[in-house]
Amino acid sequence: MDRDLLIHLPVIVAVARRGGFALAAAELGMSPSAVSHAVRLVEERIGQPLFARTTRSVSLTESGKALVEAAAPALQDIGERIDRIRSVKGRSSGLLRINASTIAIPLAVTPVVAAMAERYPDVTVEIFADQGLVDIVGEGFDAGIRLGEMIAQDMVAVRLTPPFKTVIVASPAYIGRRGRPRSVADLANHNCIGYRLVRSGALYRWDLTEDGKDVVVQTGGTAIVTDSLAAIDMALAGVGLAYMFEPLARADLAAGRLVQVLPQSAIEEPGLFLYFPRRAAMAPKLRAFIDTAQEISRTSLRTSGRKTLLE
């Protein structure tokens, strides 16, 4: 077995995952020239080009794709086994990479990472904020966080939050100028803050309920954002009506900085879930995240007087 080839396989996988030498170098803590040298060495040993290179892109050749498809799962399995061996000493360790939607970070990630910093100082949690759905295995993530309805059935899912409702909110100043919408149809007469889906480029249509039926509403207005937190800022500034998940607006609603309109039209979302492939379930670093999240949720729900949804 060619040992020199084996030690460079993580570099090959990183270049494939990141789609470029510079990005792979940054991830691995290497120089781009060192990454290029490692790739060239492996290509010479195998006798086949692994990447098709242009001035703008780097893509896998058929040989490269075959190698990465074999090497990536093996390297991940080795890493997980090493983490488990280390954890025998009672300390979880390693880099935990999580792909999460932007709205999940304040609602489900930040409290867990804060607690883990004290409990598991040898675990580093890397959060990649992403608005779209990705192949977490193919992209090299340990887990993802999304709404329950968005998760593939072959993934293990662990609830992080209770179900929550969507809300339409506006500032008191906007309500003072334009009044409250009285029906879903009345939204056409209001300045609605739009939300553009980053991956598809389409404008999100508001999911609402009317007379017991689900409806989808195309809105219009003078502002479009790609981040729910930006929509909150716009609403606070009096720009118009914003559509978002209730937990994001809860503090501003309680303080009177925002006002909810059309509460009867709100739909309920299933909540946020951590998801991952079944084989990753026993990784100590992932188990540490799950245990911490569940403890925080139980404490929060117990304090609020609600029954925990995680037990």
Side-chain angles (χ1 to χ4, degrees), residues 104-115:
I105 295 175
L107 297 184
V109 178
T110 301
V112 179
V113 174

Side-chain angles (χ1 to χ4, degrees), residues 96-105 107-110 112-113 125 127-134 136 141-148 150-151 158-161 271-276 286 289 293:
L96 179 65
R97 301 186 72 237
I98 296 177
N99 184 293
S101 59
T102 304
I103 59 100
I105 295 175
L107 297 184
V109 178
T110 301
V112 179
V113 174
V125 183
I127 306 298
F128 188 91
D130 195 341
Q131 303 293 59
L133 285 173
V134 299
I136 59 171
F141 293 102
D142 297 291
I145 300 176
R146 292 294 187 280
L147 292 173
M150 302 173 71
I151 299 172
V158 176
R159 180 179 288 281
L160 295 180
T161 73
L272 292 166
F273 289 76
L274 180 79
Y275 66 97
F276 45 88
L286 182 57
F289 187 95

